[in-house]
Amino acid sequence: ITVERQVAAIPAPAAPADGFKAGDATIKIGGFVKAEGLVSDFADGAPPVGFGRDFYLPSAIPVGSPASSQDLITDLHAKQTRLWINGSTPVGQVYVEGDFQTAPGTQGSERTTNGYNFALRRAYFQNGDWLFGQDWSTFMNVGALPETPDFIGPTEGTVFVRQVMARYTAKLSDTVNLQFAIENPETASATNLSPTLTENDDDQLPDLIARVNFKNDLGDFAVAGIARQLRIAAGAAEEDTTGFGVAVSGKIKVGASDDIRFSIGGGEGVGRYFGLNLAPDASDTPTDFEAVGVLAGFVAYRHMWDKDWRSTVSYSFQNVDNQTGVTAATSTDSVWSAAANLFYSPAKGVDLGVDYRHAERELFNGQSGDLTRVHFVAKRSF
């Protein structure tokens, strides 16, 4: 007599959960830990500890003080370590992101604990075609930014703003969409006596932005336009004018894995949108309140040596249209920088990189200063 026995199949291991449930939301947590080392040579004296030492900030390059020039300065920090939370719900998405680099005035002591405050970067909710909250400005194309150890990289040549907005995205096809947004206004002005920027917070109308995104066999591209009111009100004195700008950016495919990334843009009264507010939006004089013109751009080429090694070379610039008698002679007239880097990814989520950058800044009065920096980074994403 033969007896057949049924053996139950051993179930396969369950796949790791992608997030966790909290009420009707699926929550995911991610981010990265980033350790950085910067060795900088400022030809005209190092700026004080802060943003100009933590990453490439063109406006912080000292100018016209050769007597205070010094040798190499070394800075080590982990302030760009980032944390984000993403919640998917039946009625849309919620996203919150922060790091330890963003908050001004919260630099910890390097002598002891190196403690830095966590600060908001992005916080928005999205339902269908609508987004409300703080995100990258619609005037900015994040996808065109090159890979670099630096916080931004080609800082002077790119749009870089995060702010509160209401944005609508209309999908026209699988390859084209239109975006319209009203975004937080803020007029940054300077006087004919001083290049120091003033955040006036006297704006009455939001900034209006429209952008078209499209892709084809060549790559991904974006064209954006902005219109804004510039306004200051100090006591009985009240002045306003109009600002406008255009930005064209994209990523062009080269061969199987290389690419060229670029951005070119500018306008009148859009200084705060380019180069971390390198130029003022407007100049205020006893006789006039005038929008300041800017032209900025960058180009970067990334080459994949193999699946683990890659390099990017880039050039970036910004020119400011400083009118004699309108903007202070000690304000920035132009900045440019060139950089080259090498990245190695020995494992998934691990990036090791080194970058060489040279930058030069010139004032309207002809004085100039420069920065040469070697930047190391070790990053672990999760």
Side-chain angles (χ1 to χ4, degrees):
I1 300 173
T2 302
V3 178
E4 295 184 358
R5 304 178 63 183
Q6 298 292 330
V7 179
I10 299 175
D18 188 12
F20 60 92
K21 296 292 290 185
D24 63 352
T26 300
I27 307 297
K28 299 179 184 179
I29 299 175
F32 57 76
V33 175
K34 187 179 181 184
E36 300 181 71
L38 301 89
V39 182
S40 308
D41 182 9
F42 296 91
D44 293 279
V49 174
F51 290 162
R53 298 267 291 269
D54 294 341
F55 56 88
Y56 174 49
L57 181 62
S59 60
I61 299 175
V63 170
S65 303
S68 63
S69 62
Q70 52 187 286
D71 294 329
L72 299 179
I73 299 294
T74 298
D75 293 292
L76 305 176
H77 69 85
K79 301 174 188 176
Q80 290 171 29
T81 294
R82 188 175 304 172
L83 180 67
W84 56 258
I85 300 174
N86 184 31
S88 297
T89 75
V91 291
Q93 178 189 17
V94 176
Y95 184 87
V96 180
E97 176 186 278
D99 69 7
F100 301 87
Q101 179 74 81
T102 305
T106 58
Q107 302 295 303
S109 169
E110 292 189 30
R111 294 178 290 113
T112 52
T113 60
N114 285 270
Y116 305 98
N117 289 357
F118 191 70
L120 177 69
R121 283 172 53 90
R122 302 158 68 198
Y124 63 81
F125 67 93
Q126 193 167 2
N127 188 352
D129 299 328
W130 286 94
L131 179 147
F132 300 93
Q134 180 161 304
D135 195 14
W136 298 110
S137 172
T138 312
F139 195 51
M140 176 184 177
N141 181 7
V142 180
L145 286 176
E147 183 180 29
T148 172
D150 189 77
F151 193 52
I152 304 174
T155 307
E156 62 273 278
T158 189
V159 178
F160 196 91
V161 172
R162 293 186 299 265
Q163 58 194 7
V164 171
M165 68 187 69
R167 179 166 65 207
Y168 175 75
T169 301
K171 183 178 179 181
L172 303 185
S173 70
D174 291 339
T175 60
V176 181
N177 68 62
L178 288 174
Q179 295 180 308
F180 303 94
I182 57 172
E183 302 192 6
N184 182 62
E186 179 58 66
T187 299
S189 65
T191 72
N192 62 320
L193 300 177
S194 172
T196 303
L197 297 182
T198 299
E199 293 186 22
N200 297 277
D201 204 21
D202 295 322
D203 304 276
Q204 295 178 326
L205 300 175
D207 291 356
L208 305 178
I209 301 173
R211 176 171 140 189
V212 58
N213 306 293
F214 60 95
K215 58 184 178 180
N216 52 34
D217 293 340
L218 188 60
D220 301 321
F221 307 92
V223 180
I226 182 172
R228 55 195 307 245
Q229 179 196 52
L230 309 175
R231 183 176 182 271
I232 62 173
E238 180 178 327
E239 300 281 355
D240 69 84
T241 188
T242 301
F244 63 89
V246 176
V248 179
S249 57
K251 181 170 68 173
I252 302 172
K253 301 174 185 177
V254 178
S257 56
D258 294 0
D259 61 65
I260 296 173
R261 307 183 190 201
F262 71 94
S263 176
I264 185 73
E268 300 284 333
V270 290
R272 81 172 178 91
Y273 279 88
F274 290 90
L276 292 181
N277 208 168
L278 177 63
D281 293 321
S283 287
D284 182 29
T285 75
T287 60
D288 199 8
F289 181 66
E290 181 176 326
V292 173
V294 298
L295 176 66
F298 73 82
V299 61
Y301 175 72
R302 185 180 73 159
H303 175 66
M304 300 293 296
W305 300 103
D306 60 29
K307 65 181 182 65
D308 299 326
W309 294 86
R310 58 202 181 274
S311 292
T312 295
V313 294
S314 64
Y315 173 80
S316 182
F317 77 95
Q318 183 174 151
N319 294 325
V320 184
D321 184 16
N322 287 315
Q323 303 293 325
T324 302
V326 176
T327 307
T330 53
S331 64
T332 300
D333 185 63
S334 65
V335 179
W336 68 268
S337 69
N341 65 49
L342 177 66
F343 272 94
Y344 171 54
S345 298
K348 183 180 179 180
V350 177
D351 297 306
L352 307 175
V354 59
D355 179 271
Y356 172 85
R357 180 176 301 276
H358 180 78
E360 296 187 9
R361 175 181 173 224
E362 185 173 343
L363 304 183
F364 190 49
N365 63 12
Q367 290 183 316
S368 62
D370 64 71
L371 160 67
T372 301
R373 171 175 287 168
V374 179
H375 190 159
F376 303 91
V377 64
K379 178 181 174 183
R380 177 63 169 94
S381 302
F382 60 91

